[in-house]
């Protein structure tokens, strides 16, 4: 076990310091330590790998932590170190740390965490749907294997060999990384071969590929925060996505919905049953759900806070977020941070590049943060002007967050963004 301790940890104080351990504090998890430090807490980072995933390296801030522990495979030793530090809780930063966080909670705080025996079902997309099937809930038909012959057998057995397309993706990645819509036959065989053995966006090698039926409908997310198995809704959003050839799931926008929207009752009820089936007892969860003609079906569950600036978006839309629920739970302000009410219409609009090359008119993007309803813009063009074709959430040019009490004004600005996007000249 490698331990790094800053001077802040060794400074004597007259008041006992409360400490929180964050496992893999990358991506959305990078927001946890600063929020707790503002409350006067000390934070401990536990890392499961030598470094953060390359696509999230910019989110790793060691200075936010008074202690950094590098996990070496010894749960008992790590548990003893955390017990000696008198941590008040262990939470997940990125989904890569979910199984370890669950095991540590079971060791240090018995009965207060998620069911450890279902940790892999909360982390692995194939295991997730196996657990839903066992619970009798709607789920996606799938096969996960390194042998394409098994895929062909599965296609024939399910009748999906006659389908227009199926989905191929890594089982343990994130951010629509390498998710492809492919036709059964040579196209699927090639996509399958490209997935097996590939290192995914989170830095893990995928020894097998996951092939699933292609779900058609409108995609939503339900974000929750759970305590003792009670799942409080923190946000319901509707996704607009598009496909480009084999590439599926390119984000166009994410819009918050109020619980009075007709689709919410069914989505939230299904999401809560999913969380129960996956042994969720504590913490933030992000469930992506497709609403098909026959009802909702889970696409995947991310056992962490929602990413994509969601705490900021949630506060704009409702006044509170999953991060507020987390700090409220440990800081004794849980009641004030609970509840879900849409206060204003909020939409995150993604700006994408249709091809790779040099952006010849970057000046057209300068007006995005001056749109009437723009609350924030993260659209950036590299200094050399070279952009990559957008193929997943990690390769967008950025996003513009729109907010207003008037939804029509938000929709008007979304249309303006699309016109600006279409005017990009990439040579």
């Amino acid at each position: 076990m490698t331990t790094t301790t800053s001077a802040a940890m060794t400074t004597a104080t007259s008041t006992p310091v409360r400490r929180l351990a964050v496992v893999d504090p990358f991506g959305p998890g990078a927001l946890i330590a600063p929020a707790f430090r503002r409350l006067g807490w000390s934070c401990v980072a536990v890392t499961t790998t030598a470094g953060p995933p390359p696509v999230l390296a910019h989110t790793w801030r060691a200075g936010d932590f008074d202690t950094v522990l590098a996990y070496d495979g010894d749960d008992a030793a790590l548990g003893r170190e955390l017990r000696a530090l008198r941590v008040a809780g262990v939470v997940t930063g990125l989904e890569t740390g979910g199984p370890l966080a669950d095991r540590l909670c079971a060791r240090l705080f018995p009965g207060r965490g998620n069911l450890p025996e279902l940790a892999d079902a909360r982390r692995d997309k194939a295991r997730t749907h196996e657990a839903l099937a066992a619970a009798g809930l709607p789920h996606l038909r799938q096969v996960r294997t390194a042998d394409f012959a098994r895929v062909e057998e599965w296609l024939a057995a399910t009748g999906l060999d006659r389908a227009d397309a199926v989905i191929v993706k890594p089982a343990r990645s994130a951010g629509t990384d390498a998710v492809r819509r492919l036709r059964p036959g040579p196209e699927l065989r090639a996509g399958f071969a490209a997935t097996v053995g590939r290192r995914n966006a989170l830095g893990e090698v995928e020894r097998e590929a996951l092939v699933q039926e292609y779900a058609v409908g409108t995609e939503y997310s339900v974000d929750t925060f759970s305590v003792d198995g009670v799942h409080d809704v923190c946000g319901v959003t509707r996704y607009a996505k598009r496909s480009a050839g084999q590439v599926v799931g390119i984000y166009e926008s994410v819009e918050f919905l109020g619980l009075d929207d007709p689709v919410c009752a069914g989505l939230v009820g299904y999401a809560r049953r999913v969380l129960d089936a996956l042994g969720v007892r504590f913490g933030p969860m992000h469930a992506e759900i497709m609403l098909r003609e026959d009802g909702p079906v889970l696409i995947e569950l991310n056992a962490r806070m929602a990413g994509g600036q969601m705490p900021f978006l949630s506060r704009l839309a409702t006044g509170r977020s999953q991060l507020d629920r987390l700090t409220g739970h440990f800081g004794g302000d849980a009641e004030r941070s609970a509840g879900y009410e849409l206060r204003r219409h909020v939409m995150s609009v993604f700006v994408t590049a249709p091809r790779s090359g040099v952006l010849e008119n970057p000046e057209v993007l300068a007006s995005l943060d001056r749109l009437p309803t723009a609350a924030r813009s993260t659209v950036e063009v590299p200094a050399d002007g070279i952009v990559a074709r957008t193929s997943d959430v990690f390769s967008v040019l950025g996003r513009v967050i729109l907010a207003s009490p008037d939804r029509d004004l938000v929709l008007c600005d979304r249309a303006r963004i699309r016109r600006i996007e279409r005017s990009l000249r990439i040579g």
Side-chain angles (χ1 to χ4, degrees):
M1 189 73 59
T2 302
T3 305
T4 303
T5 306
S6 75
M9 191 68 185
T10 59
T11 301
T13 59
S14 57
T15 304
V17 177
R18 302 196 74 187
R19 296 188 180 91
L20 181 76
V22 187
V23 184
D24 284 351
F26 316 127
L31 301 174
I32 296 173
F36 275 84
R37 287 172 73 91
R38 287 192 290 270
L39 298 178
W41 283 55
S42 169
C43 290
V44 179
V46 177
T47 61
T48 62
T49 55
V55 294
L56 298 174
H58 64 286
T59 67
W60 169 228
R61 295 185 289 269
D64 289 341
F65 299 90
D66 295 313
T67 302
V68 178
L69 303 176
Y71 176 61
D72 62 4
D74 190 335
D75 287 18
L78 178 56
R80 287 193 295 270
E81 288 210 53
L82 294 176
R83 186 174 287 112
L85 290 169
R86 297 183 180 179
V87 297
V90 180
V91 299
T92 303
L94 191 67
E95 54 260 56
T96 52
L100 177 59
D102 291 335
R103 297 196 304 273
L104 291 171
C105 281
R107 184 179 294 271
L108 299 172
F109 312 105
R112 287 167 52 185
N114 300 316
L115 298 183
E117 60 269 27
L118 287 168
D120 201 39
R122 294 186 292 272
R123 171 71 186 95
D124 184 289
K125 296 173 177 58
R127 300 294 185 200
T128 296
H129 286 275
E130 291 173 6
L132 296 187
L137 291 177
H139 59 281
L140 296 177
R141 292 174 291 174
Q142 63 178 16
V143 62
R144 196 254 296 275
T145 179
D147 182 0
F148 191 72
R150 280 198 60 202
V151 175
E152 293 179 311
E153 292 171 1
W154 173 78
L155 290 169
T158 58
L160 290 173
D161 54 341
R162 299 184 297 277
D164 291 336
V166 294
I167 293 294
V168 178
K169 64 182 181 180
R172 300 174 67 87
S173 193
T176 64
D177 168 43
V179 178
R180 296 291 181 265
R181 182 183 61 183
L182 303 171
R183 291 181 178 276
E187 185 176 271
L188 176 58
R189 179 184 291 275
F192 179 88
T195 302
V196 175
R198 173 183 175 274
R199 188 174 297 276
N200 66 34
L202 297 182
E204 300 173 330
V205 175
E206 297 281 350
R207 304 297 181 189
E208 299 175 305
L210 175 60
V211 182
Q212 293 179 324
E213 64 176 303
Y214 178 47
V216 178
T218 302
E219 191 173 348
Y220 297 82
S221 72
V222 178
D223 297 330
T224 55
F225 188 82
S226 304
V227 178
D228 296 330
V230 177
H231 314 303
D232 187 29
V233 176
C234 303
V236 181
T237 58
R238 177 169 51 229
Y239 295 168
K241 294 183 179 181
R242 62 180 171 82
S243 301
Q246 296 178 357
V247 179
V248 67
I250 298 175
Y251 283 84
E252 292 197 324
S253 64
V254 176
E255 180 181 12
F256 271 80
L257 305 180
L259 289 179
D260 58 348
D261 190 288
V263 304
C264 283
L267 287 172
V268 170
Y270 173 72
R272 285 178 166 142
R273 292 192 295 273
V274 165
L275 297 179
D276 288 341
L278 297 176
V280 174
R281 301 282 301 164
F282 175 78
M285 297 283 157
H286 173 67
E288 298 179 350
I289 299 170
M290 188 70 76
L291 185 57
R292 304 189 294 194
E293 288 186 358
D294 60 349
V297 63
L298 185 76
I299 300 299
E300 63 185 49
L301 179 80
N302 301 128
R304 52 158 170 81
M305 292 194 308
Q309 305 182 63
M310 196 56 75
F312 176 72
L313 291 165
S314 294
R315 288 173 189 145
L316 276 179
T318 73
R320 53 185 65 90
S321 69
Q322 287 178 307
L323 184 58
D324 297 320
R325 302 292 209 284
L326 186 64
T327 57
H329 172 78
F330 285 104
D333 197 16
E335 184 174 347
R336 192 175 72 85
S337 67
Y340 179 76
E341 177 186 359
L342 191 68
R343 298 181 178 182
R344 60 176 62 86
H345 297 281
V346 172
M347 181 182 293
S348 179
V349 182
F350 294 76
V351 180
T352 64
R355 66 185 66 86
S356 298
V358 177
L359 181 59
E360 298 173 350
N361 58 337
E363 67 279 357
V364 302
L365 299 175
S367 63
L368 290 173
D369 60 358
R370 298 195 297 272
L371 293 170
T373 67
R376 175 187 289 178
S377 173
T378 65
V379 178
E380 295 183 358
V381 179
D384 59 8
I386 298 175
V387 299
R389 179 180 67 93
T390 299
S391 60
D392 53 35
V393 75
F394 301 114
S395 54
V396 297
L397 296 179
R399 65 202 77 187
V400 184
I401 296 171
L402 309 176
S404 172
D406 188 337
R407 185 171 183 265
D408 287 340
L409 294 179
V410 169
L411 294 176
C412 184
D413 277 351
R414 182 182 68 178
R416 289 190 177 105
I417 293 170
R418 291 290 167 245
R419 287 197 294 270
I420 291 172
E421 187 181 58
R422 288 194 295 271
S423 75
L424 297 178
R425 297 196 305 272
I426 301 174

